[in-house]
Amino acid sequence: TYIKEFSLQEYLAQAVPFIVRGANPSELAEFREALEAAAIKLAIENYDKKAIDRLEELFHITNKAFVKRDIQNYVKNDVRFHRHLCSMSKNYIITVMWDTFAKPVTESIRFNIESVYSQKPSIEPYHLMLVKSIRAKDLDGALKNLHLALTDIL
């Protein structure tokens, strides 16, 4: 009898889209904000200048796509930005949870980006202010800008 090796991460990656499909979009946004808020708190505690520099670099790549209205690259790099943010926590579970929810999150960003473009045709400032707040070890500022960035997109 063949028994497939069990991988919890693989199982969750397959199950989560089915779980999320019936959820209200605001519930996904609330979960995402809670997860990333925990990541920010730990990222500030585990301050790493190189990781913050990389986060800022990812912002500039993402914003360049935003300004060009290149939806595919914007979404891809926004996901990379937020995954890197989660990895800055140095908490494996937070990063795995981000990876597990990345597909539904990506779909929600792609779905909502057109309405963002109709309101803000130039720069998207909240991600950069989030980076600057982390760099300054300003937890309240970082959480405020995370909220603004997520409610602007989701």
Side-chain angles (χ1 to χ4, degrees), residues 58-125:
L58 287 168
F59 159 76
H60 289 294
I61 293 167
T62 302
N63 195 61
K64 187 176 182 181
F66 182 86
V67 171
K68 288 182 174 181
R69 295 178 182 252
D70 180 346
I71 294 172
Q72 182 176 348
N73 276 321
Y74 173 79
V75 171
K76 176 180 83 173
N77 288 299
D78 185 61
V79 168
R80 288 174 62 205
F81 175 96
H82 289 278
R83 188 204 190 274
H84 183 71
L85 175 62
C86 288
S87 74
M88 287 170 57
S89 72
K90 298 186 181 359
N91 181 306
Y92 175 75
I93 300 300
I94 289 174
T95 305
V96 167
M97 291 305 293
W98 169 260
D99 290 342
T100 301
F101 278 84
K103 185 175 181 180
V105 165
T106 301
E107 291 169 6
S108 71
I109 295 168
R110 188 175 288 116
F111 180 77
N112 292 303
I113 193 68
E114 288 297 333
S115 65
V116 172
Y117 279 137
S118 69
Q119 299 166 17
K120 294 177 182 60
S122 58
I123 192 167
E124 187 287 300

